[in-house]
Structure formats: structure tokens, C-alpha cells
Amino acid sequence: MPRKFKIILWLSGLFILIILIQYPIQKTIDSWQTWSLPLAGKTIVLDPGHGGADGGAVGSDKTQEKEITLTVSNLLKDYLQQAGATVYMTRDGDYDLAAEDTRGLSKRKAEDIQQRVEFISEKKADFFLSIHLNALSDGRWKGAQTFYYPGREENEQLAKFVQAEIIRNLENTKREALPIHQIFVLKYAEAPGALVEIGFLSNAEELDLLKSDEYQRKMAASIYEGILRFVTEKTEKGNETNQ
């Protein structure tokens, strides 16, 4: 057999061997990434409520809703990114989304909320979470609660999974996820979404919790675990349907 032909055969065999070795390795890498990055390929928008001139709800010590919503959203963003998600924030500082020349708080708020809906659409979000806090004149009310726009199955699933994890992890509320019609972002955003009222600034006990780093992390982690359940259990259900 000519030497040149032997070399060609040897190189061909080496090439086939490399392919055979790489194939299972690549499959293993892909499986590992899917297991370790359960939110890989997902685009999520986080919407910290209020900002700028609109401080939102206010506690007895002047703590403003806009401050805590941003902090918790940033913590949640970290958890989601570590799980492989692409995360966008409607705001990452103390500002609203209205144009600079828009005058009057009511006009700014109306423009701001419309811009949040457009932001969610522009980012082609798989789903979104709005983070808010509550306040009432009666200081007895407390407990986080998640809301969704009715008539859309994914909205309801997302809200219920998030609320279930808040109940399980924080052990300080028995509130259930509820449908709501009046929330503009939930109603007009095309992507599935939920709004989490993470507590009452008007309740003295809960106010102290909401200001603490530990509680903020626990809240962000609970919402994150609810999102994981929403994504993974929906995927498992889809796989069962396709079998």
C-alpha cells in the first residue's frame, strides 16, 4: 500500500475518532448546562414599582416604596442571572420612565406606566414580574400577596407559584394569589406576568422586616424559587403532553 494512501487512511480514522469522542462530551456539556442553568434562554423583565417623583407608599418613618422595590428587584435579578436568564429592569435607579419635559405628577405617572408596558414588549420578555409594596390607613394589615390578570393561564400559574414559595419560605402570610383587573401593566402587557406586593409599609412589624437586608434577600429568593417552579414545571408538563 502506498505511503500516501496510508497517511490518508490514518487521518480519516483520526478525524472519525475525534467526532466520536466529541459527540458524547458535547451532549454531556449541553445536559450539564440545562441542569445547572435552568433559566438559560429565558428573557425576564423585572419592574420595580414607582421611582423619581413618584415614591409610592410611605412608611411611618418616611421609608419609600420605590427604594425597597428597587433593592429587592436587584437581588432577584442576581438570582435569575445566576440561573442563566437574560434579565432587564424597567428602571435601575431612582427615576421614572416619563419624558423629561412631561409636567405634572399624574401625567408623569400615566406616561411612566405606558412606557413600562412598551419596555416589556420591546425586550420580547418570556414573562415579567412587577414588585410593589402596600400601605393602608389601618396598620393591622400585613403579608405579601401576588396578583395576576384573569383569563390567562400562564399569569395565574406564575402568580400562584410565586405566592406559594413566599408562604413556604417566609411563613408569615397565608394570603393566596388573586386575580385583579385594575392593574395597567398586568392588563396590557402581552407577555405573561404577575405583580407581587411584598408587604405593608403601614404595618410597624412588617416595616422593620422590609427594611432589613436579610428579609429582602429572603423575599427575593422566594420569588426566584417561584419563578423556577413556573418554568421547570411548565416544561415538564409540556414534555408529558408531547410524549
Side-chain angles (χ1 to χ4, degrees), residues 71-227:
T71 300
V72 172
S73 294
N74 275 321
L75 292 169
L76 177 56
K77 178 183 178 182
D78 288 343
Y79 287 127
L80 295 171
Q81 287 182 328
Q82 289 169 16
T86 298
V87 183
Y88 297 101
M89 303 263 285
T90 56
R91 67 179 182 95
D92 56 9
D94 184 15
Y95 55 85
D96 62 22
L97 276 64
E100 289 186 12
D101 59 353
T102 300
R103 297 289 178 263
L105 183 58
S106 61
K107 288 184 179 180
R108 291 196 67 85
K109 290 178 72 171
E111 186 176 326
D112 170 71
I113 200 68
Q114 290 172 350
Q115 289 299 315
R116 291 175 193 253
V117 171
E118 290 187 19
F119 184 93
I120 294 167
S121 177
E122 289 170 1
K123 298 305 181 184
K124 302 186 186 318
D126 289 295
F127 55 92
F128 70 93
L129 270 296
S130 286
I131 310 298
H132 284 258
L133 286 88
N134 241 321
L136 296 173
S137 57
D138 188 341
R140 292 176 298 175
W141 295 96
K142 63 180 181 178
Q145 189 162 26
T146 309
F147 296 91
Y148 61 92
Y149 191 77
R152 303 172 188 172
E153 184 179 356
E154 286 188 305
N155 289 1
E156 184 174 353
Q157 289 176 341
L158 176 59
K160 287 185 174 180
F161 280 135
V162 168
Q163 187 65 22
E165 291 306 304
I166 289 173
I167 292 170
R168 185 177 70 85
N169 290 311
L170 300 181
E171 299 181 328
N172 62 358
T173 181
K174 294 182 180 179
R175 294 177 177 274
E176 297 181 354
L178 290 178
I180 191 168
H181 290 85
Q182 297 85 1
I183 305 299
F184 189 92
V185 174
L186 295 182
K187 183 175 182 178
Y188 291 103
E190 293 182 4
L195 182 146
V196 191
E197 296 275 3
I198 62 175
F200 285 80
L201 290 175
S202 49
N203 179 275
E205 178 185 357
E206 198 152 71
L207 172 61
D208 288 338
L209 287 173
L210 289 165
K211 293 190 299 179
S212 74
D213 293 342
E214 181 183 3
Y215 192 78
Q216 289 170 355
R217 288 189 178 280
K218 284 183 178 179
M219 181 62 70
S222 297
I223 298 171
Y224 163 71
E225 289 179 11
I227 290 172

